[in-house]
Amino acid sequence: IISDGDLPESGTQIMLGDKIAGEVRTSFGNIGMAMMYNDVYEEVQSSNNGFICDGIKISIVSAEFMKRT
């Protein structure tokens, strides 16, 4: 995950509208790793905007090693 400002601490929920989409696992400054929940994964993949984490707009990006070829 990335944001324009510092990300909140580990365990902070990531919201997609009124749904809990995941949570921050670790972060350093404005980059971090998050666990995204499977039940909203399809929505996460099709809508890379509107994610809010502790009032901060974030973007979900996949690490290079996770991208399918």
Side-chain angles (χ1 to χ4, degrees), residues 29-46:
N30 71 329
I31 60 172
M33 293 184 74
M35 178 177 63
M36 303 307 292
Y37 301 141
N38 285 338
D39 59 337
V40 291
Y41 185 75
E42 291 299 320
E43 261 182 279
V44 170
Q45 292 294 82
S46 65

Side-chain angles (χ1 to χ4, degrees), residues 40-66:
V40 291
Y41 185 75
E42 291 299 320
E43 261 182 279
V44 170
Q45 292 294 82
S46 65
S47 171
N48 198 16
N49 55 27
F51 293 98
I52 302 295
C53 185
D54 201 26
I56 301 167
K57 185 175 179 180
I58 64 167
S59 296
I60 308 297
V61 294
S62 295
E64 284 297 318
F65 71 88
M66 295 178 67

